[in-house]
Amino acid sequence: MNKKITVMFFSLCLTIVGFGMTSAYENTFTITGGNGNFESADYHNGYGIQWEESYGSSSFYSARYEGPQPIGDCDNDGDNELLIGGRDAVLRVMEWNEEKQTYEETHTLHCPFYPLRRLDADGFAIGDLTGDGENEIAVSWYATVHKWIEGKYRIIGWNPWIEWNGGGSPDCYIGDCDNDGQNELILSCRDWTRSIPEIVVFKWNGWRLVKVAEWIDPGINGEVFMAGMGDTD
C-alpha cells in the first residue's frame, strides 16, 4: 500500500513539473542563428528574444559591455537607438529597421586618438549633457562627448584627466548630481599606474568639459566599476 502511494505521489509530481515547463516555454520561438536573424517572434504577451548577434568567442576582442543607459534618442530624431560597446575599440550605434524587422549598425564611434590609441568602449550613456535640449553620447574613453551634427557624430569635447592621472574609467552616467538643473557626467574609476578617486564628475561649461568634483575612499585604493545616481534619502 505504501509503495502504491509513493508511486502515485511521484506521478503527480511529474505531472505538476511537466505542466510548469509547458507553461514556461509556450511563448518561445525558434532562433535561426546569430547576426541579427530570427525566424518568428510570437510573444503571447510575454518576453522573448527579438534580435541577437554574435561578435565572436574571443575574450580579448569579442566581449561586449552593457553600459549604464544603452538605449535612447542619441541623434534626436524622435526614435531611440541602441548602443553596443566592447573590447574592439568601437562603440556601435544600432537602429531598428522596421521594413527588415532587424537592428542595423548605422554608425561607429572611436576615441579621440583612434587609431593611434585604441580604447574599449567600456561605459557609455545618452543624455543632454550640454544643456541645449538635445541628447549627446558620452563614452568613458577620455570622458568624451559625441554629438549628432549635420548627419554625423562628432566629438565636441573630451577631458583626459583620469587617464593622465594614472587611472581608467569602466563606466559613466549622465545626471544632475548637484541639483542645479544641468546634467553632469559621472565617471567611475579604477587605478592603473597610481591611486585615483573612485568617482570623478565633469561638467559642460558652455564650450568644454571640465572636472568639477571627485570622491575618494580615504585610506583605501579602491575601484568602482559602475556609476549611478538617484534620490537615496
Side-chain angles (χ1 to χ4, degrees), residues 173-190:
Y173 191 94
I174 295 175
D176 183 9
C177 63
D178 60 4
N179 302 295
D180 67 346
Q182 182 178 342
N183 288 331
E184 287 79 38
L185 178 60
I186 304 104
L187 287 101
S188 58
C189 303
R190 62 176 303 180

Side-chain angles (χ1 to χ4, degrees), residues 35-98:
N35 301 319
N37 298 319
F38 61 89
E39 183 174 312
S40 62
D42 188 9
Y43 303 118
H44 296 298
N45 297 320
Y47 284 100
I49 299 175
Q50 181 193 44
W51 174 87
E52 67 173 10
E53 178 147 357
S54 173
Y55 288 93
S57 59
S58 170
S59 59
F60 297 100
Y61 182 84
S62 305
R64 301 295 101 187
Y65 295 114
E66 78 283 2
Q69 318 175 177
I71 297 175
D73 184 9
C74 52
D75 60 3
N76 302 290
D77 65 349
D79 293 326
N80 287 335
E81 285 76 39
L82 168 68
L83 303 183
I84 299 178
R87 291 184 175 174
D88 50 6
V90 176
L91 180 62
R92 291 172 166 83
V93 180
M94 314 292 293
E95 297 189 37
W96 178 254
N97 187 313
E98 186 66 27

